[in-house]
Amino acid sequence: LWLDCETGIPCDQQPGEGLCDEVSVFVPNVFTPNNDGINDSFNAVQSESSCWAEWTLVIYNRWGAVVFETNDPDTSWNGSNNGGVSFVPDGVYVWVVQGFSVEGVPVNLTGTVQIFR
C-alpha cells in the first residue's frame, strides 16, 4: 500500500510513477527583471523537467532577433540579451516552446511576454 505524500490518501501507484502522464506547460505573460527578488526571471513552467525528451525555448524581440534560447527546461531568462551583460528594453517579446515528452507527445506553443522594470 502506497500513500500520496501530499494528501495522505492511499493510492495504487508507486511513488514517482505517473509523474509524466500529463504533459502540461504554464507560461507567464509578464515578468519584472529589476532585481527585487520577485518575478525576476522568465521560464515556461512545465511538468517535471525529467519528463521531457526534447525541449527548446526561444525568445525573439520585435524585429525577430533571438534574445534568448535554451534546451534546458530548468533554465530561466533574466532579461539579458543573449546571456550578455546588456539587458533588453522593456516591451513585448515573442516566445516559442517546442518539445517532446518522454512518451512522445509533441508540444508546440507560442505567445508573448511583457517586461516591466
Side-chain angles (χ1 to χ4, degrees):
L1 176 69
W2 291 292
L3 296 178
D4 183 306
C5 292
E6 292 179 18
T7 64
I9 298 172
C11 58
D12 4 340
Q13 293 183 28
Q14 181 175 358
E17 285 184 16
L19 289 176
C20 298
D21 289 347
E22 182 180 331
V23 175
S24 62
V25 179
F26 167 75
V27 185
N29 60 2
V30 67
F31 81 112
T32 58
N34 57 7
N35 291 323
D36 67 354
I38 302 169
N39 295 322
D40 283 332
S41 63
F42 170 83
N43 193 7
V45 181
Q46 72 289 337
S47 55
E48 194 70 29
S49 62
S50 63
C51 295
W52 296 94
E54 292 180 32
W55 175 270
T56 302
L57 168 64
V58 182
I59 300 173
Y60 301 91
N61 65 16
R62 66 177 135 189
W63 298 283
V66 174
V67 295
F68 178 77
E69 184 171 6
T70 184
N71 293 333
D72 181 356
D74 293 323
T75 299
S76 298
W77 180 42
N78 66 357
S80 64
N81 192 359
N82 285 312
V85 294
S86 65
F87 288 87
V88 299
D90 289 5
V92 177
Y93 294 82
V94 174
W95 56 262
V96 176
V97 170
Q98 295 179 316
F100 286 94
S101 73
V102 292
E103 281 101 20
V105 177
V107 171
N108 292 298
L109 303 169
T110 60
T112 58
V113 61
Q114 173 114 24
I115 292 181
F116 288 115
R117 288 195 175 82

